[in-house]
Amino acid sequence: MEDTIDTAMAVFSDQYLSSNDSSLFNITPTHFPRLPPIIDQTISITSIVILFITMVSLGCTMEVSKIKAHILKPKGVAIAVVAQFGVMPLTAFSLAKVLQLGPVEAVVVLICGCCPGGSLSNILALSLKGDMNLSIVMTTCSTVLALGMMPLLLYLYCQGFSNLESAVPYAGITLALVMTLFPCGIGILINYYRPQYSKTITKVGLSLLLIAMVVIGLLASMTIGGMDLMLTVLSPPLMATAALMPLIGYIFGYVLSYLFKLNGSGRRTISMETGCQNIQLCSTILKVAFPPDVIGPLYLFPMIYIVFQVGEALLLIVLFRVHQRFFKTPKTEKQVYKAVDDQLEMKPSDVVV
């Protein structure tokens, strides 16, 4: 594992990052205050290491047998993929247009909207009593398909903005996506040969992800002009985008699966999978693939996004649980009545003396 992380750092080294000069991007540099080199390097290393651990934990949720079963009956997976790579990129594009985001902000939002699903959606789907097999298979498929779909969708949607045609570092994004497949494969092997460790690794991965977000936010805010940088990310248009994107994903994911007549658990699963993106992947791409004077503090946008993503999902979970408790007749009650009716219908000759 250490060798793999060292390789990742070599790819995203200072030499590589310095080659991403702002003149290569068709965006005017925003000249944000630069972070001190040691802080900037610490954030980059932390982002890459946490992404590696997160993808290993994501791989630990994937099972080859379940993937094969859903591939043989691909209706649910097909609907889920259309929702993931159809609804969210279009939502990101529409919000960037409606809220009149700047060029850099628009690219950030588009990258976030085009990211595949993450392991967090599996936990949220479980809380909603969703189809866990479908959830895991959808996360697997979106992670693999993102290798081709994410650069393609970014290229297509960037055509809708002036001066954004050559603003996206497609090579850096593709490289990052390729690198995520290796730790994901490690997780799949762990789950296949040592399944007893899978749940622990998944929990550790999610815990480290949340801790890393807090640490990176603190590091960014403790520098000179740090509060001004944070206020840039907390601007009303970006806050509105972060609040609306996951909510629209949840709603349209549910509606789309309802139109194709999936059962309740399938609808709830696709709803969560559609509204949840791999936030650590998005944050890492923004941090390492763009030059600092272009991206500024906007690599922190995914951390704002995940707050609304989780908060809105928890609200939906609470509403679902309340509905289950007070408005739905338990199935066990019907089974008891049926058993009683069967006994009443028994004839006297059927009774054993």
Side-chain angles (χ1 to χ4, degrees), residues 33-43 219-220 222-224 229:
R34 280 184 173 271
L35 294 172
I38 187 170
I39 298 294
D40 187 64
Q41 188 71 8
T42 300
I43 292 176
L219 288 173
M222 287 169 56
T223 58
I224 298 174
L229 297 180

Side-chain angles (χ1 to χ4, degrees), residues 61 66 70 119 121-139 265-266 269 273:
T61 65
K66 293 178 180 179
H70 273 280
S119 54
S121 60
N122 303 143
I123 296 176
L124 297 176
L126 178 62
S127 301
L128 282 170
K129 298 182 179 180
D131 185 341
M132 290 309 299
N133 292 341
L134 176 61
S135 178
I136 293 168
V137 172
M138 184 178 174
T139 302
S265 61
T269 300
E273 290 289 340

Side-chain angles (χ1 to χ4, degrees), residues 159-175:
Q159 306 303 312
F161 297 89
S162 59
N163 300 324
L164 284 191
E165 291 83 359
S166 58
V168 179
Y170 299 103
I173 291 175
T174 304
L175 180 61

